Amino acid sequence: MQNRLLAALPPAEYGLVGPYLTHIELPRGRLLYDPGDPIDTVYFPHDGVISLMTLMDNGAAIESATIGPEGALGLMAAVAPRASMSRAIVQTPCRAARITAAQLHGAWQKSPAIRQFVDNHTEALFGHAIQSVACNALHSVEARFCRWLLTCHDRISDNTVALTQEFLADMLGVQRTTVTAVARALQERGYIRYRRGIVDIIDRDGLEAMTCECYGVVKRTYERLLPG
Amino acid sequence: MQNRLLAALPPAEYGLVGPYLTHIELPRGRLLYDPGDPIDTVYFPHDGVISLMTLMDNGAAIESATIGPEGALGLMAAVAPRASMSRAIVQTPCRAARITAAQLHGAWQKSPAIRQFVDNHTEALFGHAIQSVACNALHSVEARFCRWLLTCHDRISDNTVALTQEFLADMLGVQRTTVTAVARALQERGYIRYRRGIVDIIDRDGLEAMTCECYGVVKRTYERLLPG
DNA sequence: CGCATTGTGTCGCGTTCTCGACAGTCTGGG
DNA sequence: CCCAGACTGTCGAGAACGCGACACAATGCG
């Protein structure tokens, strides 16, 4: 699998970034950015999920958007130097390509196609965020739990996701005990199997039936604006 | 009062947009964009508030961000043609300047300063959205109510805001009866006065003490990234 | 193997908010 | 002036979720 933004670059544009790309493995839990950090590196995941989390004063860290193979982390730094506004953390182990923000900025200056990718990506990420604003206000934990699993499942090539209920509770901004209850309900329906830090997705259609419209809305936004 | 983005433009750059600006009055409730509408006009409010609302399938319309004199509506269309992803509706009567997206795009091509304003504005709006994601998941209706009032108050030159509880309930994504209860509580504390479609802000400090950190976070983000 | 650590299941109470219903009050237009 | 429509106040049942406590199970490490 290959990052879809990079894969969609015409050969001429790829020549502007390809020589600077470094391939790396990102382990689960790796902290890439905290609020205020200068964005000096841009990451293009080939698979896996990177979460953008908004930090609160009391230490809560709640997910505001995700980055997967359809996009890139820190892409707005291609336009001009930027500080991160979120915590960026690796959700599932990722293979990824990385490039310095300065080098990407050089390519951005030279290529209209790259500028358009960056622009569309920003738009898609904004769309993701505003849908999440509504989702968090209106939808049940159960629906959001399903949405999260499906979003994650779309970005990995596996039916198994490694994550603890404690962590998922953080992502969704709810109590762990609530996550436990929801996970048990989904397991009883046969949609997932939950064991110590590992979720198996068994019935994807079942999850889709229980999630809210937000899953589809965000997915279609990405399909409309980004290649692949 | 004057839109702060326009006011901060150096004379040379202002010359690129000034001749195309039209001054208009926007009445309360005026619908400027619905999801999918092409963004053909950019609005620079001189005062007042324009709300960006995410529409849901069931007709719910919940606020995801606001636009005031510190910013502009549809500014991302200066970069490239765009369709709106939200409903944009005039929250309080506004004086505003407007320009076609095509004309603004011309100025954007010529002026690095304008490009930077657009870029920073996009960043600030994104920051607003991701904070709201967290806020809607974690904070009480009371805190969010106060945040909304304060945000609105910052953008108008008056201690009186015209809005119904029904409408405010929509903005916050809660039941009207909940808004009624919260409004009564704030009135009993002497922070606001509520009468048929009109809120008077009496004790701003009181509201600030009851709102969540999100109010200050978003405000500082705007101050950091935008002029004024 | 034994132990400390980490993750999960469960219980119970309290609060917040939903949801539906209905009555009362203000306001503008005919 | 009166009426229809719009807005607000109130009530009550119930669901969803927060929050703290505790027991138990799995894992990794010495």
Side-chain angles (χ1 to χ4, degrees), chain A residues 54 56-57 62-64 79 82 85-86 119-120 122-123 127 129-130 133-134 136-139 173 213-214, chain B residues 54 56-57 62-63 79 82 85-86 119-120 122-123 127 129-131 133-134 136-139 173 213-214:
Chain A
T54 302
M56 308 304 279
D57 286 349
I62 181 171
E63 182 176 276
S64 48
V79 180
R82 282 260 164 257
M85 294 196 295
S86 324
D119 187 35
N120 281 355
T122 302
E123 181 86 352
I130 64 174
V133 171
N136 283 353
L138 299 171
H139 297 148
E213 64 194 273
C214 303
Chain B
T54 302
M56 308 304 280
D57 286 350
I62 181 171
E63 183 176 275
V79 181
R82 282 258 165 259
M85 294 196 294
S86 323
D119 188 34
N120 281 355
T122 301
E123 181 85 350
I130 64 174
Q131 194 69 35
V133 171
N136 282 353
L138 298 172
H139 298 149
E213 64 194 273
C214 302

mmCIF file of all heavy atoms in Angstrom, chain A residues 54 56-57 62-64 79 82 85-86 119-120 122-123 127 129-130 133-134 136-139 173 213-214, chain B residues 54 56-57 62-63 79 82 85-86 119-120 122-123 127 129-131 133-134 136-139 173 213-214:
data_model
loop_
_atom_site.group_PDB
_atom_site.id
_atom_site.type_symbol
_atom_site.label_atom_id
_atom_site.label_comp_id
_atom_site.label_asym_id
_atom_site.label_seq_id
_atom_site.Cartn_x
_atom_site.Cartn_y
_atom_site.Cartn_z
ATOM 1 N N THR A 54 -7.129 17.224 20.426
ATOM 2 C CA THR A 54 -7.167 18.524 21.090
ATOM 3 C C THR A 54 -6.920 18.315 22.579
ATOM 4 O O THR A 54 -7.601 17.514 23.208
ATOM 5 C CB THR A 54 -8.539 19.181 20.875
ATOM 6 O OG1 THR A 54 -8.768 19.313 19.471
ATOM 7 C CG2 THR A 54 -8.585 20.558 21.518
ATOM 8 N N MET A 56 -6.915 19.468 26.497
ATOM 9 C CA MET A 56 -7.608 20.388 27.391
ATOM 10 C C MET A 56 -6.747 20.640 28.630
ATOM 11 O O MET A 56 -5.833 19.877 28.933
ATOM 12 C CB MET A 56 -8.957 19.800 27.811
ATOM 13 C CG MET A 56 -9.818 19.345 26.642
ATOM 14 S SD MET A 56 -10.150 20.630 25.409
ATOM 15 C CE MET A 56 -11.482 21.496 26.223
ATOM 16 N N ASP A 57 -7.110 21.675 29.354
ATOM 17 C CA ASP A 57 -6.334 22.058 30.539
ATOM 18 C C ASP A 57 -6.209 20.920 31.546
ATOM 19 O O ASP A 57 -5.182 20.757 32.191
ATOM 20 C CB ASP A 57 -7.004 23.255 31.246
ATOM 21 C CG ASP A 57 -6.784 24.540 30.464
ATOM 22 O OD1 ASP A 57 -5.960 24.532 29.532
ATOM 23 O OD2 ASP A 57 -7.440 25.543 30.785
ATOM 24 N N ILE A 62 -8.766 14.664 23.331
ATOM 25 C CA ILE A 62 -9.867 14.095 22.575
ATOM 26 C C ILE A 62 -9.622 14.255 21.084
ATOM 27 O O ILE A 62 -9.088 15.258 20.646
ATOM 28 C CB ILE A 62 -11.199 14.742 22.995
ATOM 29 C CG1 ILE A 62 -12.353 14.151 22.234
ATOM 30 C CG2 ILE A 62 -11.141 16.235 22.814
ATOM 31 C CD1 ILE A 62 -13.675 14.617 22.771
ATOM 32 N N GLU A 63 -9.989 13.233 20.346
ATOM 33 C CA GLU A 63 -9.676 13.233 18.919
ATOM 34 C C GLU A 63 -10.533 14.226 18.152
ATOM 35 O O GLU A 63 -11.756 14.235 18.273
ATOM 36 C CB GLU A 63 -9.895 11.829 18.345
ATOM 37 C CG GLU A 63 -9.539 11.747 16.879
ATOM 38 C CD GLU A 63 -9.663 10.344 16.362
ATOM 39 O OE1 GLU A 63 -8.711 9.577 16.525
ATOM 40 O OE2 GLU A 63 -10.716 10.004 15.800
ATOM 41 N N SER A 64 -9.883 15.051 17.347
ATOM 42 C CA SER A 64 -10.628 16.003 16.522
ATOM 43 C C SER A 64 -10.584 15.645 15.049
ATOM 44 O O SER A 64 -11.458 16.051 14.293
ATOM 45 C CB SER A 64 -10.103 17.416 16.734
ATOM 46 O OG SER A 64 -8.701 17.450 16.660
ATOM 47 N N VAL A 79 2.805 25.286 3.083
ATOM 48 C CA VAL A 79 2.477 26.632 2.628
ATOM 49 C C VAL A 79 3.360 27.662 3.321
ATOM 50 O O VAL A 79 3.926 28.551 2.686
ATOM 51 C CB VAL A 79 0.992 26.934 2.910
ATOM 52 C CG1 VAL A 79 0.639 28.337 2.432
ATOM 53 C CG2 VAL A 79 0.114 25.889 2.255
ATOM 54 N N ARG A 82 4.526 26.671 10.432
ATOM 55 C CA ARG A 82 3.344 26.580 11.282
ATOM 56 C C ARG A 82 3.713 25.910 12.583
ATOM 57 O O ARG A 82 4.614 25.075 12.637
ATOM 58 C CB ARG A 82 2.294 25.684 10.609
ATOM 59 C CG ARG A 82 1.515 26.322 9.526
ATOM 60 C CD ARG A 82 0.158 26.763 10.046
ATOM 61 N NE ARG A 82 -0.450 27.696 9.135
ATOM 62 C CZ ARG A 82 -0.474 29.012 9.360
ATOM 63 N NH1 ARG A 82 0.049 29.513 10.441
ATOM 64 N NH2 ARG A 82 -1.041 29.816 8.502
ATOM 65 N N MET A 85 -1.402 22.724 16.324
ATOM 66 C CA MET A 85 -2.436 23.131 17.281
ATOM 67 C C MET A 85 -2.953 21.930 18.052
ATOM 68 O O MET A 85 -3.718 22.080 18.995
ATOM 69 C CB MET A 85 -3.580 23.822 16.552
ATOM 70 C CG MET A 85 -3.131 25.151 15.932
ATOM 71 S SD MET A 85 -4.514 26.202 15.468
ATOM 72 C CE MET A 85 -5.221 25.195 14.202
ATOM 73 N N SER A 86 -2.547 20.739 17.630
ATOM 74 C CA SER A 86 -3.043 19.522 18.267
ATOM 75 C C SER A 86 -1.875 18.654 18.687
ATOM 76 O O SER A 86 -0.741 18.873 18.302
ATOM 77 C CB SER A 86 -3.891 18.702 17.286
ATOM 78 O OG SER A 86 -4.644 19.512 16.444
ATOM 79 N N ASP A 119 -4.200 22.308 -0.776
ATOM 80 C CA ASP A 119 -5.412 23.082 -0.577
ATOM 81 C C ASP A 119 -6.616 22.164 -0.347
ATOM 82 O O ASP A 119 -7.394 22.348 0.598
ATOM 83 C CB ASP A 119 -5.620 23.950 -1.820
ATOM 84 C CG ASP A 119 -6.749 24.925 -1.650
ATOM 85 O OD1 ASP A 119 -6.938 25.415 -0.514
ATOM 86 O OD2 ASP A 119 -7.447 25.195 -2.636
ATOM 87 N N ASN A 120 -6.733 21.154 -1.187
ATOM 88 C CA ASN A 120 -7.865 20.235 -1.036
ATOM 89 C C ASN A 120 -7.776 19.442 0.260
ATOM 90 O O ASN A 120 -8.796 19.133 0.878
ATOM 91 C CB ASN A 120 -7.904 19.263 -2.226
ATOM 92 C CG ASN A 120 -8.508 19.912 -3.458
ATOM 93 O OD1 ASN A 120 -8.985 21.044 -3.414
ATOM 94 N ND2 ASN A 120 -8.483 19.202 -4.567
ATOM 95 N N THR A 122 -6.472 20.455 3.060
ATOM 96 C CA THR A 122 -6.885 21.359 4.138
ATOM 97 C C THR A 122 -8.402 21.428 4.224
ATOM 98 O O THR A 122 -8.982 21.368 5.309
ATOM 99 C CB THR A 122 -6.312 22.762 3.892
ATOM 100 O OG1 THR A 122 -4.900 22.666 3.823
ATOM 101 C CG2 THR A 122 -6.722 23.719 4.987
ATOM 102 N N GLU A 123 -9.013 21.527 3.073
ATOM 103 C CA GLU A 123 -10.474 21.581 3.015
ATOM 104 C C GLU A 123 -11.103 20.307 3.574
ATOM 105 O O GLU A 123 -12.049 20.359 4.361
ATOM 106 C CB GLU A 123 -10.887 21.785 1.558
ATOM 107 C CG GLU A 123 -12.372 21.886 1.322
ATOM 108 C CD GLU A 123 -12.894 23.292 1.497
ATOM 109 O OE1 GLU A 123 -12.124 24.172 1.962
ATOM 110 O OE2 GLU A 123 -14.072 23.514 1.180
ATOM 111 N N GLY A 127 -13.494 19.809 6.792
ATOM 112 C CA GLY A 127 -14.783 19.127 6.719
ATOM 113 C C GLY A 127 -14.904 18.032 7.767
ATOM 114 O O GLY A 127 -15.952 17.859 8.393
ATOM 115 N N ALA A 129 -13.417 17.987 10.621
ATOM 116 C CA ALA A 129 -13.539 18.622 11.933
ATOM 117 C C ALA A 129 -14.961 19.130 12.176
ATOM 118 O O ALA A 129 -15.533 18.887 13.243
ATOM 119 C CB ALA A 129 -12.530 19.759 12.069
ATOM 120 N N ILE A 130 -15.539 19.821 11.214
ATOM 121 C CA ILE A 130 -16.870 20.392 11.476
ATOM 122 C C ILE A 130 -17.931 19.301 11.590
ATOM 123 O O ILE A 130 -18.919 19.456 12.301
ATOM 124 C CB ILE A 130 -17.295 21.458 10.443
ATOM 125 C CG1 ILE A 130 -17.437 20.872 9.051
ATOM 126 C CG2 ILE A 130 -16.334 22.632 10.444
ATOM 127 C CD1 ILE A 130 -18.000 21.870 8.045
ATOM 128 N N VAL A 133 -17.661 18.154 15.128
ATOM 129 C CA VAL A 133 -18.302 19.090 16.052
ATOM 130 C C VAL A 133 -19.756 18.691 16.250
ATOM 131 O O VAL A 133 -20.237 18.549 17.381
ATOM 132 C CB VAL A 133 -18.240 20.535 15.515
ATOM 133 C CG1 VAL A 133 -19.093 21.460 16.371
ATOM 134 C CG2 VAL A 133 -16.803 21.031 15.469
ATOM 135 N N ALA A 134 -20.439 18.471 15.147
ATOM 136 C CA ALA A 134 -21.852 18.114 15.218
ATOM 137 C C ALA A 134 -22.035 16.733 15.833
ATOM 138 O O ALA A 134 -22.896 16.513 16.683
ATOM 139 C CB ALA A 134 -22.468 18.159 13.818
ATOM 140 N N ASN A 136 -20.173 15.030 17.923
ATOM 141 C CA ASN A 136 -19.954 14.974 19.368
ATOM 142 C C ASN A 136 -21.087 15.626 20.144
ATOM 143 O O ASN A 136 -21.325 15.286 21.298
ATOM 144 C CB ASN A 136 -18.629 15.640 19.726
ATOM 145 C CG ASN A 136 -17.447 14.748 19.421
ATOM 146 O OD1 ASN A 136 -17.622 13.586 19.072
ATOM 147 N ND2 ASN A 136 -16.259 15.286 19.542
ATOM 148 N N ALA A 137 -21.772 16.565 19.535
ATOM 149 C CA ALA A 137 -22.878 17.213 20.231
ATOM 150 C C ALA A 137 -24.150 16.374 20.173
ATOM 151 O O ALA A 137 -24.946 16.398 21.105
ATOM 152 C CB ALA A 137 -23.139 18.595 19.633
ATOM 153 N N LEU A 138 -24.332 15.637 19.095
ATOM 154 C CA LEU A 138 -25.643 15.056 18.831
ATOM 155 C C LEU A 138 -25.728 13.543 18.946
ATOM 156 O O LEU A 138 -26.809 13.005 19.181
ATOM 157 C CB LEU A 138 -26.117 15.454 17.422
ATOM 158 C CG LEU A 138 -26.287 16.952 17.162
ATOM 159 C CD1 LEU A 138 -26.547 17.208 15.685
ATOM 160 C CD2 LEU A 138 -27.429 17.510 18.003
ATOM 161 N N HIS A 139 -24.629 12.846 18.782
ATOM 162 C CA HIS A 139 -24.756 11.397 18.607
ATOM 163 C C HIS A 139 -24.285 10.603 19.824
ATOM 164 O O HIS A 139 -23.419 11.045 20.578
ATOM 165 C CB HIS A 139 -24.012 10.968 17.346
ATOM 166 C CG HIS A 139 -24.590 11.586 16.103
ATOM 167 N ND1 HIS A 139 -23.847 11.905 14.996
ATOM 168 C CD2 HIS A 139 -25.851 11.991 15.822
ATOM 169 C CE1 HIS A 139 -24.637 12.439 14.080
ATOM 170 N NE2 HIS A 139 -25.858 12.514 14.558
ATOM 171 N N GLY A 173 -13.796 10.970 24.356
ATOM 172 C CA GLY A 173 -14.140 11.935 25.393
ATOM 173 C C GLY A 173 -15.195 11.430 26.353
ATOM 174 O O GLY A 173 -16.056 12.195 26.805
ATOM 175 N N GLU A 213 -24.615 9.102 10.498
ATOM 176 C CA GLU A 213 -24.365 9.571 9.141
ATOM 177 C C GLU A 213 -22.969 10.158 8.974
ATOM 178 O O GLU A 213 -22.443 10.221 7.862
ATOM 179 C CB GLU A 213 -25.399 10.633 8.799
ATOM 180 C CG GLU A 213 -25.272 11.876 9.677
ATOM 181 C CD GLU A 213 -26.477 12.795 9.606
ATOM 182 O OE1 GLU A 213 -26.535 13.663 8.718
ATOM 183 O OE2 GLU A 213 -27.368 12.614 10.459
ATOM 184 N N CYS A 214 -22.368 10.610 10.083
ATOM 185 C CA CYS A 214 -21.098 11.318 10.012
ATOM 186 C C CYS A 214 -20.013 10.477 9.354
ATOM 187 O O CYS A 214 -19.145 11.007 8.644
ATOM 188 C CB CYS A 214 -20.664 11.747 11.410
ATOM 189 S SG CYS A 214 -21.902 12.772 12.215
ATOM 190 N N THR B 54 -23.234 23.100 10.593
ATOM 191 C CA THR B 54 -23.208 21.791 9.946
ATOM 192 C C THR B 54 -24.628 21.239 9.924
ATOM 193 O O THR B 54 -25.279 21.173 10.964
ATOM 194 C CB THR B 54 -22.282 20.841 10.731
ATOM 195 O OG1 THR B 54 -20.972 21.407 10.784
ATOM 196 C CG2 THR B 54 -22.206 19.478 10.064
ATOM 197 N N MET B 56 -27.404 18.286 9.470
ATOM 198 C CA MET B 56 -27.519 16.835 9.594
ATOM 199 C C MET B 56 -28.737 16.360 8.802
ATOM 200 O O MET B 56 -29.630 17.148 8.469
ATOM 201 C CB MET B 56 -27.669 16.444 11.068
ATOM 202 C CG MET B 56 -26.603 17.032 11.983
ATOM 203 S SD MET B 56 -24.908 16.640 11.518
ATOM 204 C CE MET B 56 -24.784 14.992 12.196
ATOM 205 N N ASP B 57 -28.780 15.053 8.562
ATOM 206 C CA ASP B 57 -29.862 14.476 7.764
ATOM 207 C C ASP B 57 -31.239 14.790 8.332
ATOM 208 O O ASP B 57 -32.198 15.005 7.597
ATOM 209 C CB ASP B 57 -29.704 12.944 7.697
ATOM 210 C CG ASP B 57 -28.553 12.550 6.771
ATOM 211 O OD1 ASP B 57 -28.045 13.432 6.061
ATOM 212 O OD2 ASP B 57 -28.176 11.368 6.775
ATOM 213 N N ILE B 62 -26.250 22.636 13.508
ATOM 214 C CA ILE B 62 -25.497 22.973 14.698
ATOM 215 C C ILE B 62 -24.257 23.783 14.340
ATOM 216 O O ILE B 62 -23.631 23.550 13.324
ATOM 217 C CB ILE B 62 -25.124 21.688 15.467
ATOM 218 C CG1 ILE B 62 -24.364 22.016 16.728
ATOM 219 C CG2 ILE B 62 -24.333 20.739 14.603
ATOM 220 C CD1 ILE B 62 -24.174 20.822 17.609
ATOM 221 N N GLU B 63 -23.964 24.755 15.173
ATOM 222 C CA GLU B 63 -22.868 25.670 14.838
ATOM 223 C C GLU B 63 -21.511 25.007 14.984
ATOM 224 O O GLU B 63 -21.203 24.406 16.007
ATOM 225 C CB GLU B 63 -22.929 26.886 15.760
ATOM 226 C CG GLU B 63 -21.862 27.905 15.429
ATOM 227 C CD GLU B 63 -21.991 29.142 16.290
ATOM 228 O OE1 GLU B 63 -22.776 30.013 15.907
ATOM 229 O OE2 GLU B 63 -21.329 29.220 17.333
ATOM 230 N N VAL B 79 -8.468 31.116 -2.903
ATOM 231 C CA VAL B 79 -7.384 30.255 -3.381
ATOM 232 C C VAL B 79 -7.806 29.523 -4.650
ATOM 233 O O VAL B 79 -7.086 29.476 -5.635
ATOM 234 C CB VAL B 79 -6.995 29.226 -2.298
ATOM 235 C CG1 VAL B 79 -5.863 28.339 -2.776
ATOM 236 C CG2 VAL B 79 -6.621 29.943 -1.011
ATOM 237 N N ARG B 82 -14.571 26.857 -4.759
ATOM 238 C CA ARG B 82 -14.942 25.945 -3.675
ATOM 239 C C ARG B 82 -16.445 25.873 -3.542
ATOM 240 O O ARG B 82 -17.143 26.843 -3.830
ATOM 241 C CB ARG B 82 -14.415 26.490 -2.338
ATOM 242 C CG ARG B 82 -12.964 26.273 -2.103
ATOM 243 C CD ARG B 82 -12.782 25.096 -1.147
ATOM 244 N NE ARG B 82 -11.411 24.650 -1.194
ATOM 245 C CZ ARG B 82 -11.012 23.580 -1.884
ATOM 246 N NH1 ARG B 82 -11.875 22.876 -2.565
ATOM 247 N NH2 ARG B 82 -9.743 23.218 -1.882
ATOM 248 N N MET B 85 -19.276 23.897 2.612
ATOM 249 C CA MET B 85 -19.561 22.644 3.310
ATOM 250 C C MET B 85 -20.553 22.862 4.436
ATOM 251 O O MET B 85 -21.020 21.901 5.044
ATOM 252 C CB MET B 85 -18.270 22.050 3.866
ATOM 253 C CG MET B 85 -17.324 21.619 2.739
ATOM 254 S SD MET B 85 -16.028 20.519 3.298
ATOM 255 C CE MET B 85 -15.139 21.622 4.356
ATOM 256 N N SER B 86 -20.875 24.121 4.732
ATOM 257 C CA SER B 86 -21.766 24.423 5.847
ATOM 258 C C SER B 86 -22.890 25.333 5.359
ATOM 259 O O SER B 86 -22.849 25.873 4.260
ATOM 260 C CB SER B 86 -21.017 25.182 6.945
ATOM 261 O OG SER B 86 -19.706 24.739 7.094
ATOM 262 N N ASP B 119 -4.207 32.283 4.428
ATOM 263 C CA ASP B 119 -3.636 31.091 5.040
ATOM 264 C C ASP B 119 -3.836 31.103 6.555
ATOM 265 O O ASP B 119 -4.300 30.117 7.148
ATOM 266 C CB ASP B 119 -2.148 31.058 4.682
ATOM 267 C CG ASP B 119 -1.498 29.767 5.106
ATOM 268 O OD1 ASP B 119 -2.174 28.735 5.049
ATOM 269 O OD2 ASP B 119 -0.320 29.810 5.493
ATOM 270 N N ASN B 120 -3.538 32.216 7.168
ATOM 271 C CA ASN B 120 -3.689 32.306 8.623
ATOM 272 C C ASN B 120 -5.158 32.207 9.039
ATOM 273 O O ASN B 120 -5.479 31.641 10.086
ATOM 274 C CB ASN B 120 -3.106 33.629 9.141
ATOM 275 C CG ASN B 120 -1.594 33.570 9.232
ATOM 276 O OD1 ASN B 120 -0.983 32.535 9.009
ATOM 277 N ND2 ASN B 120 -0.978 34.692 9.545
ATOM 278 N N THR B 122 -7.490 30.532 7.513
ATOM 279 C CA THR B 122 -7.861 29.118 7.415
ATOM 280 C C THR B 122 -7.401 28.363 8.656
ATOM 281 O O THR B 122 -8.146 27.560 9.231
ATOM 282 C CB THR B 122 -7.223 28.492 6.163
ATOM 283 O OG1 THR B 122 -7.669 29.209 5.018
ATOM 284 C CG2 THR B 122 -7.604 27.029 6.032
ATOM 285 N N GLU B 123 -6.197 28.650 9.062
ATOM 286 C CA GLU B 123 -5.640 28.006 10.250
ATOM 287 C C GLU B 123 -6.465 28.341 11.496
ATOM 288 O O GLU B 123 -6.783 27.464 12.298
ATOM 289 C CB GLU B 123 -4.195 28.488 10.432
ATOM 290 C CG GLU B 123 -3.470 27.885 11.602
ATOM 291 C CD GLU B 123 -2.830 26.554 11.289
ATOM 292 O OE1 GLU B 123 -3.104 26.004 10.203
ATOM 293 O OE2 GLU B 123 -2.066 26.070 12.131
ATOM 294 N N GLY B 127 -8.592 25.903 13.910
ATOM 295 C CA GLY B 127 -8.404 25.870 15.365
ATOM 296 C C GLY B 127 -9.718 26.037 16.108
ATOM 297 O O GLY B 127 -9.975 25.357 17.106
ATOM 298 N N ALA B 129 -12.613 25.155 15.020
ATOM 299 C CA ALA B 129 -13.401 23.932 14.845
ATOM 300 C C ALA B 129 -12.910 22.812 15.758
ATOM 301 O O ALA B 129 -13.717 22.156 16.432
ATOM 302 C CB ALA B 129 -13.365 23.483 13.380
ATOM 303 N N ILE B 130 -11.614 22.586 15.833
ATOM 304 C CA ILE B 130 -11.149 21.450 16.643
ATOM 305 C C ILE B 130 -11.361 21.709 18.126
ATOM 306 O O ILE B 130 -11.563 20.781 18.896
ATOM 307 C CB ILE B 130 -9.668 21.070 16.364
ATOM 308 C CG1 ILE B 130 -8.708 22.174 16.747
ATOM 309 C CG2 ILE B 130 -9.485 20.642 14.925
ATOM 310 C CD1 ILE B 130 -7.247 21.772 16.613
ATOM 311 N N GLN B 131 -11.349 22.963 18.522
ATOM 312 C CA GLN B 131 -11.670 23.243 19.925
ATOM 313 C C GLN B 131 -13.144 22.951 20.195
ATOM 314 O O GLN B 131 -13.504 22.443 21.263
ATOM 315 C CB GLN B 131 -11.350 24.709 20.249
ATOM 316 C CG GLN B 131 -11.325 25.005 21.730
ATOM 317 C CD GLN B 131 -10.144 24.353 22.441
ATOM 318 O OE1 GLN B 131 -9.065 24.236 21.892
ATOM 319 N NE2 GLN B 131 -10.363 23.915 23.666
ATOM 320 N N VAL B 133 -14.923 20.731 18.694
ATOM 321 C CA VAL B 133 -15.074 19.273 18.754
ATOM 322 C C VAL B 133 -14.929 18.815 20.204
ATOM 323 O O VAL B 133 -15.771 18.077 20.733
ATOM 324 C CB VAL B 133 -14.010 18.568 17.876
ATOM 325 C CG1 VAL B 133 -14.039 17.064 18.128
ATOM 326 C CG2 VAL B 133 -14.217 18.859 16.412
ATOM 327 N N ALA B 134 -13.863 19.271 20.840
ATOM 328 C CA ALA B 134 -13.611 18.874 22.224
ATOM 329 C C ALA B 134 -14.673 19.450 23.149
ATOM 330 O O ALA B 134 -15.196 18.760 24.038
ATOM 331 C CB ALA B 134 -12.223 19.337 22.645
ATOM 332 N N ASN B 136 -17.784 20.327 22.623
ATOM 333 C CA ASN B 136 -19.091 19.680 22.539
ATOM 334 C C ASN B 136 -19.092 18.302 23.163
ATOM 335 O O ASN B 136 -20.127 17.813 23.610
ATOM 336 C CB ASN B 136 -19.530 19.583 21.079
ATOM 337 C CG ASN B 136 -20.047 20.909 20.561
ATOM 338 O OD1 ASN B 136 -20.199 21.858 21.315
ATOM 339 N ND2 ASN B 136 -20.306 20.980 19.274
ATOM 340 N N ALA B 137 -17.936 17.666 23.198
ATOM 341 C CA ALA B 137 -17.884 16.337 23.800
ATOM 342 C C ALA B 137 -17.775 16.418 25.317
ATOM 343 O O ALA B 137 -18.281 15.554 26.017
ATOM 344 C CB ALA B 137 -16.700 15.550 23.242
ATOM 345 N N LEU B 138 -17.123 17.450 25.830
ATOM 346 C CA LEU B 138 -16.726 17.433 27.230
ATOM 347 C C LEU B 138 -17.452 18.416 28.137
ATOM 348 O O LEU B 138 -17.521 18.195 29.339
ATOM 349 C CB LEU B 138 -15.217 17.713 27.335
ATOM 350 C CG LEU B 138 -14.285 16.703 26.661
ATOM 351 C CD1 LEU B 138 -12.848 17.201 26.681
ATOM 352 C CD2 LEU B 138 -14.383 15.351 27.347
ATOM 353 N N HIS B 139 -17.994 19.493 27.601
ATOM 354 C CA HIS B 139 -18.442 20.567 28.482
ATOM 355 C C HIS B 139 -19.954 20.687 28.576
ATOM 356 O O HIS B 139 -20.675 20.326 27.648
ATOM 357 C CB HIS B 139 -17.809 21.886 28.035
ATOM 358 C CG HIS B 139 -16.304 21.863 28.123
ATOM 359 N ND1 HIS B 139 -15.489 22.568 27.278
ATOM 360 C CD2 HIS B 139 -15.482 21.183 28.964
ATOM 361 C CE1 HIS B 139 -14.224 22.339 27.597
ATOM 362 N NE2 HIS B 139 -14.193 21.496 28.606
ATOM 363 N N GLY B 173 -27.028 22.510 19.772
ATOM 364 C CA GLY B 173 -27.366 21.114 19.571
ATOM 365 C C GLY B 173 -28.040 20.472 20.774
ATOM 366 O O GLY B 173 -27.813 19.312 21.071
ATOM 367 N N GLU B 213 -12.702 26.698 29.232
ATOM 368 C CA GLU B 213 -11.450 27.212 28.703
ATOM 369 C C GLU B 213 -11.508 27.490 27.202
ATOM 370 O O GLU B 213 -10.729 28.280 26.680
ATOM 371 C CB GLU B 213 -10.354 26.178 28.972
ATOM 372 C CG GLU B 213 -10.595 24.869 28.223
ATOM 373 C CD GLU B 213 -9.731 23.721 28.714
ATOM 374 O OE1 GLU B 213 -8.605 23.560 28.250
ATOM 375 O OE2 GLU B 213 -10.216 22.995 29.596
ATOM 376 N N CYS B 214 -12.433 26.828 26.503
ATOM 377 C CA CYS B 214 -12.478 26.905 25.044
ATOM 378 C C CYS B 214 -12.660 28.343 24.567
ATOM 379 O O CYS B 214 -12.128 28.729 23.523
ATOM 380 C CB CYS B 214 -13.613 26.032 24.512
ATOM 381 S SG CYS B 214 -13.442 24.313 25.034
#
